[in-house]
Every structure is written in C-alpha cells, then in structure tokens.
C-alpha cells in the first residue's frame, strides 16, 4: 500500500475509534484519546471526567471495551489507560458535549453559548471560540459565533496548541453542530516573549579589521569640521584680464550679421506681399524696421574695425 493510502487508512481508523468511544463513554464525560503504536501492541490513553464509569465495577466495562476493539477494529492486544481530566471546563470535547446536551434540554442558544464561554475563561483559558451551526431558532440554518480572548485559526499552533472539540445536538427542527476551540493556560505560542528588567547585557567591543583599518564613525564625529571661508561683499574677487575683443570671433559676428539682414529682408518682402488679417501694413513701420537693422549692422562692423586697429597697435 502506498504511503498516501496508508495515511488515509490510519486517519479513517482513528476517526472511527474516536466515534466509538464518544458513543460508549458519553455519560462518563469522554474528553478525547491518544493512540500510539508500541512493540507490545496498541497503547490507547483515554481522557474522561469520571474514570470510575469508564473502568466499571471490577473492570467489567474496560474489558468489554477492549474486546470490542479487538473484534471491531482488528487490534492486536490493545492496552487502555484511563486518565482523569483535571479541569473539565478546559477540555474542548467535554465542553462541546455539555453544550450540545444543554441545547437538547431546551436552553436558548445565546444564553447557553455565553454561559459556556464565560466558564471557559473563568477557568483560566487564554482564549476560546464556540461556533453553533444549524437551525438554532427557525427553519433557516445559520452560524452563531462566541469569542473570548485570543485564538489561533491557522498554522502549526492551531493544530498543536489549540484544543478542538465537536458535538451534535439533535433538535426537533434538525441537528445543530457544536465546535469548540480552547487555548489552555500556560500555552507557549511562537509570538510570546518575556521582558527582563534585571538582565545584564555584556558590552560588545568592535574589533579592528587590521592595522590600516578605517576610522570608526565615532572618531570621525569627534573631529572638528573644517571651516569654510565666508565670501563677503568687501572681499577681493578675481576679474579676468583678457580683452573682451579677443574673445569675439570675427567670422561668427559676420555670419550673425548676414543672417540678420537676410531675415529682415525676407520679413519685409512677406509683409509687403501678404497683408496680416484684414488691415494693410503701414509703410512707415517697414522703413523704421529697415533703419534699425542697418544701424545694428553698422555697429557690428564698427566694433570689428576697432578690434582690428587694436591688434595692429599691439
């Protein structure tokens, strides 16, 4: 048999054994079981609120249960150990059976739920949750939840730390499922931490990497920063000694002058040929524009000639 099928068979067999004990030991306050395989046979640990009723007079009831396990589930030499539950209000299976019994006896579901979860928290539980699903009041089924404290719903803590219990209440309108989850007092959760006020923390010294190791941040902060000189209005500012005429390129000046004249001439022609909008262009404005362009070109030429004379004098 493959491993996957073996896991399914073991889980199914465990569920059937659990249902058998719940039916047989319901009056004794059945609180769950633990099954372990040993070289001597199958070891079963039963948790009950009333161990005397599980064992029976002279061990009659426990022998009957052992024989039933051998015949019904084909177990080899089952060994049953009965343990008493110290606090029944912290056992999820016992609480679920009690709540289901209270609903069958006519308790209103809301009163039964609040009373039960209050008893769980008074017993010292870190958190609890009760879920009732079914036709709790009318013909339409619904789900009612009662929460207190802190509860885990997923992950490994939900399987290892949280105690689960299930019960069924058979009512006239139908069955009501009862699910109970309890985190017992003193449970260690992964996100728990302790604050120690008197703990002594040893000082950690930072070791240098080598003889030429870089200075630490603290040593750099201790050094005084270099002063940045302030430049005021009275301070001497260096002024370049070069002649501005030496920095002017004559060829570039001539190209700019030629482009300016061409642009002005083209604009004048376009303005004369195509009127702007519905109004005619004034001829005086065009003449003034031409005069300004000619004056700018004459100034550029004069500057160029003056620059040439200065070079010849030097």
């Amino acid at each position: 048999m493959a491993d996957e099928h073996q896991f399914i068979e073991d889980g199914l067999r465990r569920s059937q054994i659990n249902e058998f004990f719940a039916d047989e030991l319901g009056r004794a306050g059945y609180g769950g079981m633990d099954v372990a395989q040993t070289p001597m046979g199958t070891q079963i640990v039963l948790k009950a609120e009333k161990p005397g009723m599980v064992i029976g007079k002279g061990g009659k009831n426990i022998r009957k249960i052992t024989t039933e396990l051998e015949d019904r589930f084909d177990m080899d030499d089952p060994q049953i150990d009965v343990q008493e539950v110290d606090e029944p209000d912290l056992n999820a299976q016992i609480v679920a059976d009690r709540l289901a019994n209270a609903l069958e006896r006519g308790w209103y579901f809301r009163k039964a739920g609040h009373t039960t979860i209050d008893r769980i928290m008074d017993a010292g539980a870190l958190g609890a949750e009760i879920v009732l699903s079914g036709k709790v009041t009318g013909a339409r089924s619904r789900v009612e939840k009662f929460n207190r404290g802190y509860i885990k719903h997923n992950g490994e803590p939900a399987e290892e730390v949280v105690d689960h219990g299930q019960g069924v209440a058979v009512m006239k309108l139908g069955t009501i499922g009862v699910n109970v989850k309890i985190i017992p007092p003193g449970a260690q959760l992964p996100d728990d931490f302790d604050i120690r006020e008197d703990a002594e923390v040893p000082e950690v010294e930072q070791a240098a990497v080598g003889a030429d190791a870089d200075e630490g941040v603290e040593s750099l902060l201790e050094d005084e920063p270099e002063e940045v000189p302030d430049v005021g209005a009275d301070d001497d500012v260096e002024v370049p000694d070069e002649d501005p005429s030496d920095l002017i390129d004559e060829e570039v000046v001539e190209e700019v002058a030629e482009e300016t004249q061409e642009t002005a001439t083209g604009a004048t022609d376009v303005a004369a040929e195509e009127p702007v909008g519905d109004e005619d262009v004034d001829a005086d404005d065009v003449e003034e524009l031409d005069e300004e362009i000619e004056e700018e070109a004459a100034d550029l030429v004069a500057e160029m000639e003056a620059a040439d004379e200065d070079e010849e004098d030097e």
Side-chain angles (χ1 to χ4, degrees), residues 152-166:
K152 282 282 188 181
H153 293 281
N154 51 22
E156 184 178 358
E159 297 293 334
E160 301 295 335
V161 178
V162 180
D163 187 15
H164 300 264
Q166 295 180 348

Side-chain angles (χ1 to χ4, degrees), residues 56-73:
K57 187 177 181 179
K60 179 179 179 181
N61 194 24
I62 197 70
R63 286 195 296 268
K64 176 184 176 182
I65 293 174
T66 302
T67 304
E68 186 73 18
L69 290 174
E70 292 177 350
D71 298 340
R72 187 172 178 178
F73 300 101

Side-chain angles (χ1 to χ4, degrees), residues 137-243:
T137 54
R140 177 175 293 183
S141 62
R142 57 177 176 169
V143 177
E144 293 289 338
K145 292 184 179 181
F146 305 90
N147 299 313
R148 293 286 192 282
Y150 180 72
I151 198 73
K152 282 282 188 181
H153 293 281
N154 51 22
E156 184 178 358
E159 297 293 334
E160 301 295 335
V161 178
V162 180
D163 187 15
H164 300 264
Q166 295 180 348
V168 177
V170 181
M171 310 292 289
K172 292 182 180 179
L173 296 176
T175 58
I176 299 176
V178 179
N179 294 326
V180 179
K181 296 180 180 179
I182 300 174
I183 296 184
Q188 296 294 329
L189 298 174
D191 53 353
D192 290 342
F193 61 91
D194 297 331
I195 300 177
R196 300 180 182 179
E197 297 180 355
D198 300 334
E200 296 181 359
V201 180
E203 296 182 359
V204 180
E205 296 181 358
Q206 184 176 2
V209 179
D212 299 334
D214 297 334
E215 296 181 356
V217 178
E218 296 180 357
S219 61
L220 294 176
L221 293 176
E222 292 177 357
D223 297 340
E224 296 182 357
E226 297 180 358
E227 295 182 357
V228 180
D230 297 334
V231 179
D234 299 335
D235 296 337
D236 296 334
V237 180
E238 296 182 359
V239 181
D241 299 333
E242 299 178 359
D243 189 0

Side-chain angles (χ1 to χ4, degrees), residues 10-264:
D10 294 343
L12 180 60
R13 185 182 183 186
R14 183 184 181 88
S15 298
Q16 291 174 350
I17 295 173
N18 190 26
E19 290 179 0
F20 168 72
F21 284 137
D23 295 338
E24 293 291 332
L25 307 176
R27 297 178 57 188
Y30 173 67
M33 68 166 189
D34 292 327
V35 181
Q37 296 291 335
T38 62
M40 301 299 296
T42 304
Q43 181 72 27
I44 300 175
V45 179
L46 293 179
K47 300 176 184 179
E49 184 179 2
K50 302 175 182 178
M53 295 183 64
V54 178
I55 298 173
K57 187 177 181 179
K60 179 179 179 181
N61 194 24
I62 197 70
R63 286 195 296 268
K64 176 184 176 182
I65 293 174
T66 302
T67 304
E68 186 73 18
L69 290 174
E70 292 177 350
D71 298 340
R72 187 172 178 178
F73 300 101
D74 194 16
M75 284 188 178
D76 297 334
D77 191 15
Q79 300 175 3
I80 300 177
D81 183 17
V82 182
Q83 295 182 356
E84 183 180 2
V85 179
D86 296 333
E87 187 60 55
D89 290 332
L90 295 176
N91 188 287
Q93 185 61 46
I94 295 177
V95 172
D97 292 337
R98 284 181 177 179
L99 182 55
N101 189 17
L103 294 175
E104 290 177 350
R105 287 186 283 113
W107 278 52
Y108 185 59
F109 78 95
R110 202 176 299 279
K111 179 181 179 182
H114 285 295
T115 303
T116 303
I117 201 166
D118 289 340
R119 292 182 60 180
I120 294 173
M121 298 304 295
D122 292 340
L126 298 180
E129 181 184 67
I130 297 176
V131 180
L132 303 178
S133 57
K135 299 178 181 179
V136 291
T137 54
R140 177 175 293 183
S141 62
R142 57 177 176 169
V143 177
E144 293 289 338
K145 292 184 179 181
F146 305 90
N147 299 313
R148 293 286 192 282
Y150 180 72
I151 198 73
K152 282 282 188 181
H153 293 281
N154 51 22
E156 184 178 358
E159 297 293 334
E160 301 295 335
V161 178
V162 180
D163 187 15
H164 300 264
Q166 295 180 348
V168 177
V170 181
M171 310 292 289
K172 292 182 180 179
L173 296 176
T175 58
I176 299 176
V178 179
N179 294 326
V180 179
K181 296 180 180 179
I182 300 174
I183 296 184
Q188 296 294 329
L189 298 174
D191 53 353
D192 290 342
F193 61 91
D194 297 331
I195 300 177
R196 300 180 182 179
E197 297 180 355
D198 300 334
E200 296 181 359
V201 180
E203 296 182 359
V204 180
E205 296 181 358
Q206 184 176 2
V209 179
D212 299 334
D214 297 334
E215 296 181 356
V217 178
E218 296 180 357
S219 61
L220 294 176
L221 293 176
E222 292 177 357
D223 297 340
E224 296 182 357
E226 297 180 358
E227 295 182 357
V228 180
D230 297 334
V231 179
D234 299 335
D235 296 337
D236 296 334
V237 180
E238 296 182 359
V239 181
D241 299 333
E242 299 178 359
D243 189 0
S245 59
D246 297 338
L247 302 176
I248 300 175
D249 192 353
E250 298 178 359
E251 296 181 357
V252 174
V253 174
E254 293 179 356
E255 292 179 359
V256 172
E258 292 178 358
E259 292 178 357
T260 306
Q261 293 178 357
E262 292 177 359
T263 306

